[in-house]
Amino acid sequence: MSQEVYTQLSMAVIEGDEELAVSLTKQALDEGLNPLEVVNQGLTPGMEVVGDKFSCGEFFLPHLVMAGKAMQSALILLEPALKAGGLSRETLGTVVLGTVAGDIHEIGKSLVGIMLTANGFVVHDLGVDVPVSKFVEKVRETGANLVGLSALLTTTMGVQRRVIEELIEAGLRNNVKVMVGGSPVSAQWAQEIGADGYAEDATGALALARRLVVAGPG
Ligand code: B1M
């Protein structure tokens, strides 16, 4: 039964049908399905198809916009259930999170933020298209022990490196760990730019954040 809802949810995202995505998400919640499974087995596979169709010229920008709206509206509904499913009630650390300058992809970054918040991190989500200087200012202001940089475009990955360089310049790098993610990003890239770690998805980001914060500064 759950697989049927997940398949329908994927289709709703592919078709950019926001209303259907919302009503199916409500149905999934009413049926007591695991909210993370709804994301990972319903919404995200639909988005992957949208991306593939865009790559091969079958879909165009309006399809991306509509699919994005459908998934975002579904996520808004899922957010309380995702947060309620979190394990930790103690504060694990403070995170400054955002999608880097030049990049307006929001959904994956927000999902990472929800997972971290749900599991004991205080998250300062700076949103999308965040200037390098804003990350640095916020780290200084909050004394965050972790900064999370999302980039979905090959053309914006380089901004992750610039944030690290600016943190060094500002004398803050020794106090803050840097985690990077986004579909074009890899563990090798993280190493190349001097980040402390890379996570492939939101669950991985949570595990990595925990590891980095336990490891402490330096
Ligand atoms: Co765009 N887009 N997009 N897009 N978009 C991609 C990324 C693309 C791969 C599509 C494709 O060609 N197949 C391609 C990038 C190619 C490249 O550079 N390698 C692309 C392009 C080209 C563009 C434009 C340039 C298109 C144009 O204008 N001609 C343009 C750029 C705009 C800009 O940013 N300046 C553009 C615009 C858009 C929309 C705004 C219309 C829309 C986003 C809507 C929104 O966010 N509100 C959009 C969408 C929806 C996509 C796809 C289809 C889906 C992205 C998404 O939300 N996925 C995407 C194709 C794809 O990814 N398959 C595509 C679902 C989300 C849950 O996954 O974001 O990957 P994701 O996040 C994951 C992981 O990556 C990871 O965890 C998340 C959760 O599991 N993760 C982290 C992400 N951040 C992390 C941070 C971490 C750790 C893990 O630590 C800090």
Side-chain angles (χ1 to χ4, degrees):
M1 192 62 190
S2 57
Q3 193 48 55
E4 203 177 301
V5 180
Y6 295 150
T7 306
Q8 287 175 331
L9 258 176
S10 292
M11 288 308 297
V13 171
I14 296 166
E15 284 162 12
D17 190 334
E18 186 178 2
E19 213 174 299
L20 183 60
V22 165
S23 72
L24 287 167
T25 302
K26 279 189 187 137
Q27 185 188 330
L29 286 171
D30 289 346
E31 286 177 13
L33 299 184
N34 179 322
L36 195 55
E37 257 183 40
V38 175
V39 174
N40 291 337
Q41 294 185 38
L43 300 167
T44 304
M47 256 323 187
E48 276 158 18
V49 174
V50 173
D52 291 346
K53 285 185 182 286
F54 181 74
S55 293
C56 69
E58 196 184 324
F59 271 14
F60 300 96
L61 195 54
H63 296 104
L64 295 192
V65 174
M66 286 163 69
K69 279 191 183 154
M71 181 154 178
Q72 261 184 321
S73 297
L75 261 188
I76 289 169
L77 268 180
L78 289 168
E79 187 169 344
L82 284 167
K83 286 189 173 164
L87 294 174
S88 175
R89 291 287 162 263
E90 55 178 315
T91 303
L92 295 181
T94 300
V95 186
V96 170
L97 178 70
T99 304
V100 299
D103 199 323
I104 60 169
H105 292 89
E106 182 165 26
I107 301 169
K109 178 270 304 163
S110 298
L111 203 50
V112 169
I114 291 170
M115 291 297 286
L116 294 178
T117 307
N119 288 280
F121 287 87
V122 174
V123 177
H124 298 273
D125 187 338
L126 303 179
V128 298
D129 191 15
V130 180
V132 172
S133 59
K134 208 164 164 195
F135 282 108
V136 177
E137 274 165 34
K138 202 68 184 177
V139 168
R140 198 197 306 276
E141 177 195 320
T142 59
N145 39 6
L146 185 62
V147 58
L149 307 171
S150 182
L152 267 284
L153 299 171
T154 41
T155 49
T156 58
M157 287 164 68
V159 183
Q160 295 179 329
R161 188 203 297 269
R162 281 180 36 218
V163 175
I164 295 174
E165 286 168 355
E166 290 293 317
L167 285 169
I168 295 170
E169 186 79 10
L172 294 166
R173 181 67 180 98
N174 289 340
N175 308 330
V176 69
K177 300 282 183 184
V178 179
M179 164 167 95
V180 292
S183 50
V185 178
S186 64
Q188 195 191 332
W189 171 252
Q191 202 177 10
E192 194 181 318
I193 64 173
D196 297 296
Y198 154 79
E200 189 178 2
D201 57 22
T203 312
L206 172 61
L208 176 62
R210 281 197 178 120
R211 271 204 310 280
L212 291 177
V213 165
V214 167

